[in-house]
Amino acid sequence: MEVSAMTTATDTTTTAVQSAPALECRMDRATLAHALTTVGVGIARRPVVPLLGGVLLDGRSGDLTVTATDCETAVSVRVPDSVLTPGRLLIDHAEATKLVAALVKGIRKRDADTMPVSVKTTGDGTAVLELGGYTMPVTTYPAEDFPTLPDAPPTVAEVNRERFTADARRVLVATGTDDTLPMITGVQMQVMPGTLTLAGTDRYRLAVAELAATTVTEERSVLFPARVLSAALKHATADRVRLGLGRDKLGDWVSLSCGTLTVVTRPVEAQFPSYEQLFPDTTVTARADRDTLTQATTRATAVLEAKKHTTRDSHGRRIAAQVAVTVDPAGSVSIAPVRSGSMPTR
């Protein structure tokens, strides 16, 4: 028995909220899936209104810009040479993402990624997604109701992407998540002539990294939301990263651009702690093999967990367990767990 791959599915429960502007775009499935995943960074988990759960497809001059926002952060990806008919269309992000995955179930990923997919409006104004021989209607929202987004602010620093990504991830490890202390929920980015310095802290840890940068402004400083930065780094793949700072009638904005990816967000409105005096004048006090030091720290932490160790401050509040780092003048470094009320043991 031969089964035709060409199937048209009809879903009477999924209808367009309003006739969408004319748009037709075509690309391979991997490109659309990547764009939807990337802009998902800008969508709230529980949008306050349905259209904020949508993704705007804006086709102009042959290129498609895919954008999503929660009104605090806007994430956009440009897909070049993919627009057949220019226009704007606002489709449901979650539904489109699931369809792009569901319509290739059972097909090898390598083959599925190269399959052509198109999104377009039909004669009655509804939107459809075509993939793998299926034509599926997708939920749309009025594109004219999509929030007006700020332009990416002027670039103030440009750095190597690989170096920036590696150092930013090291700094992000030290940031906090307590929204009652907003100054610990961001990464401070300080622009100085020729350098970009990243710093983050959760009150117990502090991480600082200094990168060579091409700068075009006087000294500036901004607190970039750690959650947004962490998510953006996963999708930054071009050679260079650009940091932008600007202000409009709605307030301050900070941006991160890398290739076809642009993230524009509100900076954290808080004063980052002054940390410079915490560092000694000497730049190196001891040097140890990284893998050996990591292994020793892992073992010390495992010992504390095995003992169900709990450390409390003077007010009786639980704080993070500690390990002691001992530097021997003879040239060795040791790591040992610190138990409450006792000396470090090894």
Side-chain angles (χ1 to χ4, degrees), residues 216-258:
V216 295
T217 185
E218 71 283 356
E219 183 175 345
R220 299 283 297 276
S221 182
V222 66
L223 202 53
F224 202 111
R227 179 190 65 80
V228 177
L229 178 60
S230 178
L233 291 178
K234 299 174 184 177
H235 305 287
T237 57
D239 293 336
R240 306 288 288 178
V241 169
R242 299 181 301 278
L243 175 68
L245 294 177
R247 181 179 179 84
D248 61 15
K249 62 182 181 180
L250 298 177
D252 294 322
W253 297 96
V254 59
S255 69
L256 185 148
S257 302
C258 185

Side-chain angles (χ1 to χ4, degrees), residues 144-271:
E144 62 270 19
D145 291 343
F146 193 72
T148 300
L149 304 176
D151 295 327
T155 298
V156 296
E158 184 175 325
V159 295
N160 175 270
R161 190 266 306 171
E162 289 187 1
R163 175 67 188 277
F164 177 82
T165 299
D167 285 348
R169 284 174 174 161
R170 294 186 181 110
V171 171
L172 281 165
V173 170
T175 58
T177 58
D178 187 352
D179 290 333
T180 65
L181 298 170
M183 72 287 296
I184 70 172
T185 64
V187 171
Q188 179 180 255
M189 298 187 178
Q190 187 172 19
V191 179
M192 299 183 69
T195 62
L196 173 65
T197 302
L198 311 178
T201 184
D202 60 359
R203 295 186 299 162
Y204 303 104
R205 299 172 294 179
L206 171 66
V208 179
E210 185 176 294
L211 299 81
T214 302
T215 56
V216 295
T217 185
E218 71 283 356
E219 183 175 345
R220 299 283 297 276
S221 182
V222 66
L223 202 53
F224 202 111
R227 179 190 65 80
V228 177
L229 178 60
S230 178
L233 291 178
K234 299 174 184 177
H235 305 287
T237 57
D239 293 336
R240 306 288 288 178
V241 169
R242 299 181 301 278
L243 175 68
L245 294 177
R247 181 179 179 84
D248 61 15
K249 62 182 181 180
L250 298 177
D252 294 322
W253 297 96
V254 59
S255 69
L256 185 148
S257 302
C258 185
T260 59
L261 168 69
T262 301
V263 179
V264 182
T265 189
R266 296 283 191 189
V268 179
E269 297 292 341
Q271 183 66 41

Side-chain angles (χ1 to χ4, degrees), residues 52 64 115 268:
L52 289 181
L64 181 71
M115 294 173 64
V268 179

